[in-house]
Amino acid sequence: MSPTFSPENEPRRLAEDAATVAEQMQDLGTVFSLHMQKFAQEHGERTRKAWLDMQPLFGGFSDAAKQGRILDDAKEYIRDASERTVLTLDVLRERGNADVAHQAAGTPPVLIYDYEIVMDAHDFERPANYMLLKIKPAAGAEVFDWKRPYMIIDPRAGHGAGIGGFKADSQVGVALHNGHPVYFVAFRPMPEPGQTMADVMRAEAEFVAEIRRRHPDAPKPIIVGNCQGGWATLVLAAANPDISGPLVINGAPVATWSGRRGENPMRYNGGLLGGIVPALLAADLGGGVFDGVNLVSNFEQLNPSRNFFGKYYDLFVDPTKGRERFLEFEKWWGGYHFMNEAEIRWIVEQIFIGNKLSRGEARIEHGRNLDLKAIRSPIIVFASYGDNITPPQQALNWIVDTYADEHEIKIRGQRIIYMIHDSVGHLGIFVSSSIAKKEHTEVTSTMKTIEALSPGLYEMHIDKQIGDGVDAEFQVSFTERKLTDLERIDDNRDEERDFAAVARLSELGAELYDLTLRPLIQASVTEKSAEILRKTNSSRVQRQMFSDQNPLMKPVAELAQKTAQQRKKADPANPFLALEKFWAASVEQSMDMIRDMRDAAYEATFFGIYGSPMMKRIGEPQAFQRVHRTAKELRFLPEVQAILLGVERGGFEEAVIRMLILLAESRHEVRRDRLERSSHVLSSNEPFASLGPERRAALIREQAVIVEFEHDRAIDTLPLLLKTREEREKAIKVTEFIAGSVEEMEPHTIQSLQRFHAALGLSGLALPKATPDPLTEATAKRALA
């Protein structure tokens, strides 16, 4: 659109407006169509199932009536339901009491592991409410100081810390099981006065430095970030490029404008709820502190049938069996935490409404910009199609926004690996036992080899399972991808332009609020009024009303104890139990239908407002994409030119690494067994072991750049790096050992090896089967000497 008005431009502007309106109508039609298809498919299937369930339901009542036991079944059901009601109320009472006790204790992490406080950022020069905990392994478990340590950052998005280790099958449990030292980043409920996101980032950087001091002989720490902790991990690594250990980013919303139409309604909140102003108002009413319960309420509204009915009905079905699981999760879910106004403002402006981190415009503080290209660490991103809070597009599109193409990722020496689960939900990414046993276990086992990967973009596949139970192993492979592969995960990113108007109006609304209402509200709020507002929040009240603080609940404990002693379950064949389940399913479906209609109206309203020509013009200053360098410009970067000048320089180490990168380029897919052999050679055998991780990473990047821009010369100049026949034969044997058996090689891999032989003046492939490691014997002899 043209921002300038003149009579000459008017016809063009009218044509542009007409095209915008047509596009808006098309978007609205697409939205309605997608929602109607989803509605008809999902609820049509559920309605069909309900009709099918009615036949055995009526049959059960018919049989009971014929046998003359309908009244007995009714009495039995009433007794059983009454007992379950009492036991369910008692579990809710326990939850309320646990909440009261948890808050009285300062809402500590819900970890099931013992721990010690290693560092407390309260004592830092710029204090924060963060702590570094060292997890103590269970009795009999071994942890080795020389193994790569883990630092896990849990989300501070309304809840407390500990979800990454609140049961044995968890991120903490997997790392401990593999003998890694584990550190956990926890936080207190209340932020320190004046605390900012920059203070949090500095505290986390100090934590990483302390872990490195404690484990000088171990590789650099792995940092695991869950949800909000994921983008916080990216911010940490971007602001501190010396942090170069692997990053694992689980379900983290980074490209927050992204998503599929008809699927991800949460991204419209900023546009339909008034931008950042509601968050600022909530912080001011809270005396400068934003209550995390507001964020939790947003999450609950995404799936009201589950959060307000389903989980309670599941408990009611068998309160004794479901008690422990219900209480352990609810302890975390109800442990509400707080943020300073400056923190929530930064998060909303820089990420959720402004989308600045993904587009390279974010700054952690004045004069300190954040560029995700500055990250030197390998990055593993875990997302899921079943995640309605952080869909894969939000977890992955920042890669598309940050880099010109996959070649730039290689040129900058970066390794980005992504994995997308088919169905697990947002919380399941962090807490699901099945995910811990498979995905997190395989990611953990892969960490020792990931740095041997050639730079680039890869998709990680966990394919065939071998064995069962705790001994189960999976075949893992890495397929090289292009940015266009990531783009195909999204349906269309054109609608993201509409969010630009939201971002600009949010900025203007914040300015207007700062100049008008804010002074009046801040002057009228007292510490007491803020405390009353927190205590009377409906989410807190509905939990505490079932605790012993409510006099009406005190008799429940005694009644529940008597009920448990004389408990007698109803016959599973009782038709009234089937009727109850049928009723519960109909309630959930009704709530889901209301939710789906709400989401359709929500999305249509957003596009109806922000897809208009006026909003397009308002958002035009914010509707930009990051400017990327062209391939030609990347070639002439000073550091790239310096590397290319060394194409003819180097020795045995450079030659082997170059050939391995050339092989990886020809395969396009790397199995973990090959990667493990590569990692073993490059980290354990001489002359590579003496290089150290920093120099080894630098060599891999240099050779990757040479292969990227001078592919043919990279092969033709191998003889200049390997001057003697002995060196050439040894280098080829090392390369063939890592490549594996000839029978398993792809044709392109064989052709590349044959070309290496020809360039080095050697005969064809050495052996038809896998060769032994030619450097092991030499390394052993050197060690004995």
Side-chain angles (χ1 to χ4, degrees):
M1 289 186 183
S2 173
T4 306
F5 176 80
S6 67
E8 295 80 7
N9 287 335
E10 188 61 15
R12 186 176 66 177
R13 291 169 67 91
L14 290 173
E16 288 177 348
D17 287 352
T20 300
V21 171
E23 184 181 346
Q24 182 184 23
M25 293 302 103
Q26 184 178 1
D27 285 341
L28 288 170
T30 301
V31 166
F32 278 118
S33 175
L34 289 170
H35 279 284
M36 289 304 102
Q37 289 176 22
K38 179 181 176 183
F39 193 91
Q41 181 178 352
E42 180 179 336
H43 293 288
E45 181 61 32
R46 290 171 72 171
T47 302
R48 177 176 170 275
K49 183 179 182 301
W51 279 107
L52 292 175
D53 289 343
M54 286 178 71
Q55 184 174 353
L57 177 64
F58 289 143
F61 276 102
S62 177
D63 291 343
K66 290 177 182 178
Q67 296 171 18
R69 56 181 175 83
I70 191 75
L71 290 178
D72 291 337
D73 285 347
K75 291 176 182 178
E76 181 186 50
Y77 172 75
I78 292 171
R79 175 192 53 76
D80 177 74
S82 300
E83 290 174 354
R84 286 187 286 142
T85 300
V86 171
L87 294 175
T88 300
L89 282 172
D90 191 53
V91 175
L92 296 178
R93 182 189 64 84
E94 289 186 70
R95 182 186 71 171
N97 290 341
D99 282 352
V100 172
H102 194 50
Q103 291 170 19
T107 322
V110 295
L111 296 163
I112 64 166
Y113 300 91
D114 291 332
Y115 57 83
E116 62 176 296
I117 299 177
V118 174
M119 299 184 81
D120 191 336
H122 171 76
D123 303 320
F124 288 1
E125 181 179 351
R126 294 180 63 168
N129 64 330
Y130 279 62
M131 300 172 289
L132 180 65
L133 313 178
K134 183 173 184 180
I135 305 298
K136 297 180 180 179
E142 270 194 292
V143 169
F144 305 97
D145 284 343
W146 54 267
K147 277 200 166 188
R148 192 192 292 272
Y150 272 66
M151 186 176 94
I152 298 174
I153 304 177
D154 254 7
R156 183 169 162 239
H159 306 101
I163 196 66
F166 86 124
K167 57 184 179 180
D169 292 330
S170 62
Q171 295 166 336
V172 171
V174 166
L176 288 176
H177 178 74
N178 285 277
H180 294 273
V182 179
Y183 294 82
F184 204 91
V185 176
F187 35 84
R188 296 187 178 88
M190 278 292 178
E192 295 289 330
Q195 175 178 309
T196 66
M197 291 304 299
D199 298 331
V200 172
M201 179 272 296
R202 285 191 173 87
E204 291 169 343
E206 282 296 320
F207 295 163
V208 175
E210 176 62 20
I211 293 171
R212 290 185 63 185
R213 285 192 289 268
R214 286 170 166 254
H215 301 273
D217 298 326
K220 290 185 177 180
I222 295 168
I223 305 176
V224 179
N226 296 325
C227 187
Q228 179 269 350
W231 57 252
T233 298
L234 293 176
V235 167
L236 170 66
N240 301 274
D242 59 312
I243 294 175
S244 55
L247 312 178
V248 182
I249 311 300
N250 297 312
V254 183
T256 52
W257 290 359
S258 297
R260 285 180 174 173
R261 283 173 288 191
E263 293 183 16
N264 307 124
M266 194 173 182
R267 59 182 177 147
Y268 306 121
N269 278 355
L272 297 179
L273 299 180
I276 194 176
V277 171
L280 299 180
L281 176 61
D284 286 340
L285 292 174
V289 176
F290 179 83
D291 193 343
V293 73
N294 297 300
L295 299 177
V296 177
S297 296
N298 282 341
F299 300 147
E300 289 178 332
Q301 291 294 334
L302 276 176
N303 194 358
S305 69
R306 182 65 200 163
N307 292 307
F308 301 133
F309 177 80
K311 69 178 181 181
Y312 297 108
Y313 177 71
D314 288 347
L315 176 65
F316 175 73
V317 168
D318 193 341
T320 303
K321 183 180 178 181
R323 172 186 170 278
E324 185 176 347
R325 183 178 180 182
F326 179 84
L327 289 176
E328 84 177 353
F329 181 77
E330 287 293 297
K331 184 178 181 180
W332 174 74
W333 191 254
Y336 307 121
H337 279 51
F338 303 85
M339 298 181 188
N340 280 339
E341 183 271 345
E343 293 179 288
I344 190 65
R345 185 168 195 157
W346 189 94
I347 291 169
V348 174
E349 287 185 337
Q350 303 290 321
I351 295 180
F352 286 101
I353 289 183
N355 197 31
K356 294 181 179 180
L357 182 61
S358 178
R359 298 189 294 161
E361 295 288 315
R363 62 181 185 184
I364 191 66
E365 54 193 344
H366 293 297
R368 192 171 188 181
N369 292 340
L370 294 171
D371 189 349
L372 298 180
K373 287 183 183 181
I375 297 175
R376 296 170 56 202
S377 307
I379 303 171
I380 293 181
V381 182
F382 185 21
S384 172
Y385 286 116
D387 188 344
N388 63 345
I389 292 177
T390 305
Q393 298 79 19
Q394 293 187 11
L396 296 169
N397 274 348
W398 66 268
I399 304 170
V400 179
D401 294 340
T402 301
Y403 296 97
D405 55 24
E406 62 279 0
H407 300 289
E408 184 179 3
I409 297 176
K410 294 180 181 180
I411 292 164
R412 296 187 181 277
Q414 182 56 277
R415 302 166 188 83
I416 301 177
I417 300 161
Y418 68 90
M419 179 170 50
I420 308 178
H421 195 275
D422 287 335
S423 59
V424 69
H426 184 71
L427 290 177
I429 292 175
F430 324 130
V431 305
S432 170
S433 296
S434 62
I435 297 299
K437 290 175 181 176
K438 184 179 180 183
E439 277 78 6
H440 292 313
T441 297
E442 294 309 311
V443 166
T444 298
S445 65
T446 301
M447 284 301 175
K448 61 187 177 184
T449 60
I450 187 176
E451 287 164 315
L453 266 176
S454 172
L457 175 68
Y458 299 87
E459 182 176 6
M460 179 175 174
H461 297 280
I462 302 177
D463 304 313
K464 187 171 66 176
Q465 179 174 338
I466 304 168
D468 297 304
V470 295
D471 298 320
E473 295 182 357
F474 298 88
Q475 182 172 301
V476 176
S477 61
F478 300 89
T479 304
E480 194 167 359
R481 295 299 189 197
K482 299 179 179 180
L483 290 192
T484 51
D485 294 316
L486 290 182
E487 291 172 352
R488 280 194 286 270
I489 294 171
D490 211 333
D491 54 355
N492 191 321
R493 299 191 70 182
D494 290 344
E495 84 277 5
E496 292 186 22
R497 292 176 300 170
D498 298 345
F499 291 86
V502 177
R504 191 175 183 203
L505 287 175
S506 179
E507 290 180 357
L508 295 172
E511 289 289 336
L512 185 62
Y513 175 75
D514 284 340
L515 295 173
T516 55
L517 291 177
R518 166 162 270 184
L520 298 174
I521 292 172
Q522 289 181 336
S524 62
V525 171
T526 65
E527 187 175 334
K528 188 67 176 176
S529 69
E531 182 67 19
I532 291 172
L533 188 66
R534 285 193 284 270
K535 287 185 175 180
T536 56
N537 182 277
S538 60
S539 295
R540 289 191 177 88
V541 170
Q542 64 95 8
R543 283 171 165 265
Q544 293 180 8
M545 68 183 291
F546 288 103
S547 73
D548 286 338
Q549 291 183 343
N550 181 355
L552 296 176
M553 291 298 295
K554 290 186 177 179
V556 170
E558 184 178 349
L559 183 59
Q561 186 177 5
K562 291 179 180 179
T563 301
Q565 290 171 354
Q566 61 188 22
R567 173 85 169 112
K568 185 180 179 182
K569 294 184 178 181
D571 185 344
N574 189 310
F576 288 95
L577 286 177
L579 179 62
E580 175 193 288
K581 291 179 181 177
F582 183 84
W583 166 81
S586 67
V587 171
E588 286 202 46
Q589 184 177 357
S590 298
M591 296 180 72
D592 287 344
M593 289 175 72
I594 294 171
R595 176 204 64 196
D596 292 342
M597 288 188 288
R598 176 203 68 186
D599 290 349
Y602 209 59
E603 190 165 14
T605 302
F606 179 88
F607 285 117
I609 295 172
Y610 292 99
S612 66
M614 182 182 72
M615 287 299 178
K616 297 284 189 184
R617 287 199 174 87
I618 289 174
E620 197 164 1
Q622 294 281 6
F624 59 83
Q625 291 183 335
R626 180 172 183 159
V627 177
H628 294 293
R629 294 178 184 269
T630 64
K632 183 178 180 180
E633 289 172 326
L634 288 171
R635 181 187 179 94
F636 288 99
L637 287 173
E639 61 267 32
V640 171
Q641 284 294 295
I643 291 171
L644 293 179
L645 287 174
V647 66
E648 299 177 358
R649 295 196 296 265
F652 182 84
E653 299 93 323
E654 287 83 356
V656 170
I657 289 173
R658 184 183 297 181
M659 286 191 286
L660 291 177
I661 292 171
L662 286 161
L663 281 184
E665 186 184 55
S666 68
R667 282 194 302 262
H668 299 294
E669 181 174 288
V670 184
R671 290 207 317 267
R672 186 170 63 185
D673 57 344
R674 290 175 178 171
L675 197 57
E676 286 174 346
R677 290 194 293 271
S678 178
S679 175
H680 172 74
V681 168
L682 297 181
S683 61
S684 302
N685 290 348
E686 294 297 349
F688 300 102
S690 300
L691 293 174
E694 296 288 342
R695 178 56 184 154
R696 190 160 53 246
L699 280 182
I700 291 174
R701 188 210 169 188
E702 289 168 7
Q703 297 307 314
V705 169
I706 288 171
V707 169
E708 178 68 25
F709 287 107
E710 297 286 357
H711 183 276
D712 291 337
R713 283 192 69 203
I715 299 174
D716 296 339
T717 55
L718 284 173
L720 300 177
L721 277 59
L722 301 167
K723 295 181 173 58
T724 68
R725 185 174 184 84
E726 181 184 1
E727 275 190 323
R728 295 175 185 182
E729 289 178 346
K730 186 190 292 186
I732 280 289
K733 286 180 180 179
V734 171
T735 306
E736 291 177 359
F737 163 71
I738 293 172
S741 171
V742 173
E743 288 91 338
E744 296 180 358
M745 291 182 189
E746 296 176 358
H748 293 297
T749 302
I750 296 174
Q751 290 171 10
S752 296
L753 284 170
Q754 289 172 336
R755 189 171 176 187
F756 298 161
H757 279 267
L760 294 171
L762 302 175
S763 57
L765 296 185
L767 292 170
K769 297 187 180 295
T771 62
D773 182 357
L775 296 182
T776 301
E777 183 178 351
T779 301
K781 288 180 179 178
R782 193 175 286 106
L784 289 173

